[in-house]
Amino acid sequence: MNNPIKVAFFGECMLELNGPAFGVMQQSYGGDTFNTAVYLSRCGGGVIKTWYATALGDDALSLELERRWAQDGLALDLVLHIPGRIPGLYQIQVDAQGERRFSFWRDNSPAKAYFEVAQTPLEARSNEWDGFYFSGISLAILPVNGRNRLLAFAQALRMRGATVVFDNNYRPSLWPDITVARDCFSRAFAVADTALITADDHQAVYGLASLKAAVAAAQALDVFEVVIKRGAAPTLVRSGSGPWHSVPTQTVANVVDTTAAGDSFAAGYLSRRLRGKPPEEATQFGNRLAARIIAHCGAIIPLEAMTDLL
Ligand code: ADP
């Protein structure tokens, strides 16, 4: 790639176990920012290059994860290795009603310790990044000092004109309490120039009375570019002082698995915006990509199942 658009992500990718407790389980891997990085790499039209910044252990599972991430198209030279740690893990179980339940083992996962070195490779190479992407989960997994470092890094990037994208994924169980989460989310919006908002997460973080109130609050955010996702309802987007556009989602006859709906939307959206396409067109493509992902099982669907979109 000559002069690619360089985008760095920070977050955690965990091992995934999928299947009934004490039964036969399928092993895979995933994580919100990771899913977006992989889909952006696939949709980048050969001009966007994606780096995944995280920490892993020095065990065989960590090495195998890295081997697979490289096959997924990610650049790995921002990955740190913390001796003695092993990757986080989650299990997905589907109950009798078809509801998915997640259990996590991530309290001691290496990604939490990414900012415990004097300077991370992400920070050391801060002049290189055209874009930086993080989420509410990226912030949630870090200790206070790590969160401050991440936000300061994002702000420095933004000040020199890079695209800083914040996705408001909110997992209450990862936060000590909601006021800490709220404060961090507000700081993240202050350093981002693009906010990708899931309306119900915005409602939950800010304790808003209704989804309507959450959409109104998201529309009032002081962020240059805002996208508001509302499941199957039309996606709302506004850039700068431009008008709000309402972009219909695709009709999906058979929703198989909504894992990574928002993550893949983000990748589709950015794959177009980073190449200068208008917000409405980018949103259309994000909706198309997300519709394809939710018609398949798992966070990362096979490349063959989406080549016609690329
Ligand atoms: P998140 O996955 O972040 O919770 P949403 O549930 O709002 O976010 O979904 C993200 C995107 O996935 C939507 O903006 C839309 O493009 C697509 N999507 C989600 N659910 C549906 C659906 N039932 N039909 C069509 N598209 C959907």
Side-chain angles (χ1 to χ4, degrees):
M1 250 185 242
N2 284 335
N3 274 335
I5 300 167
K6 297 179 169 184
V7 185
F9 288 72
F10 172 77
E12 178 180 12
C13 175
M14 290 163 287
L15 298 166
E16 175 188 296
L17 292 179
N18 200 330
F22 303 104
V24 176
M25 293 198 199
Q26 190 74 29
Q27 188 180 339
S28 182
Y29 51 91
D32 68 332
T33 49
F34 173 82
N35 303 333
T36 304
V38 170
Y39 285 123
L40 182 60
S41 168
R42 288 185 185 180
C43 296
V47 292
I48 299 174
K49 184 164 175 179
T50 57
W51 274 257
Y52 199 62
T54 192
L56 288 168
D58 55 356
D59 60 314
L61 285 168
S62 293
L63 295 182
E64 181 59 21
L65 275 178
E66 273 190 293
R67 200 183 63 78
R68 288 166 186 251
W69 296 354
Q71 285 174 351
D72 286 324
L74 302 186
L76 299 180
D77 44 352
L78 302 181
V79 176
L80 293 178
H81 297 95
I82 302 184
R85 297 263 185 115
I86 53 174
L89 171 75
Y90 64 99
Q91 186 194 343
I92 308 174
Q93 284 180 67
V94 181
D95 69 16
Q97 285 73 43
E99 284 294 317
R100 293 153 54 81
R101 284 170 198 274
F102 291 83
S103 309
F104 291 95
W105 293 261
R106 70 192 310 183
D107 288 352
N108 198 32
S109 58
K112 285 171 145 345
Y114 189 73
F115 287 94
E116 282 171 19
V117 293
Q119 192 181 42
T120 63
L122 178 67
E123 295 164 304
R125 293 168 58 184
S126 69
N127 282 338
E128 272 185 51
W129 315 122
D130 300 305
F132 176 60
Y133 185 103
F134 68 113
S135 75
I137 298 178
S138 312
L139 287 169
I141 61 167
L142 292 171
V144 173
N145 181 44
R147 282 180 201 147
N148 292 340
R149 285 264 294 273
L150 176 61
L151 289 167
F153 165 78
Q155 183 168 31
L157 244 59
R158 165 90 191 285
M159 302 284 272
R160 68 150 178 80
T163 301
V164 174
V165 185
F166 176 63
D167 182 316
N168 77 329
N169 275 327
Y170 176 51
R171 300 292 174 273
S173 63
L174 293 176
W175 290 95
D177 73 65
I178 193 166
T179 56
V180 177
R182 199 173 287 164
D183 175 59
C184 281
F185 274 53
S186 297
R187 290 168 65 200
F189 289 131
V191 299
D193 70 287
T194 302
L196 303 177
I197 309 279
T198 300
D200 44 16
D201 282 354
H202 203 63
Q203 181 181 357
V205 178
Y206 288 99
L208 300 163
S210 64
L211 208 55
K212 203 171 158 216
V215 170
Q219 289 191 302
L221 282 171
D222 184 18
V223 179
F224 181 79
E225 190 154 313
V226 178
V227 184
I228 305 173
K229 297 165 287 163
R230 304 180 294 169
T235 311
L236 305 175
V237 63
R238 187 232 346 111
S239 184
S241 55
W244 282 96
H245 299 283
S246 175
V247 182
T249 60
Q250 304 268 302
T251 304
V252 182
N254 185 18
V255 175
V256 173
D257 178 358
T258 56
T259 307
D263 308 335
S264 56
F265 171 89
Y269 183 79
L270 292 173
S271 73
R272 296 306 187 260
R273 283 301 279 146
L274 290 168
R275 285 185 280 164
K277 301 290 182 202
E280 245 184 310
E281 186 181 328
T283 304
Q284 267 162 14
F285 185 66
N287 285 341
R288 274 183 77 195
L289 184 61
R292 179 65 57 88
I293 304 315
I294 64 178
H296 291 81
C297 213
I300 307 287
I301 71 168
L303 181 59
E304 307 79 72
M306 54 184 281
T307 37
D308 58 309
L309 294 180
L310 303 180

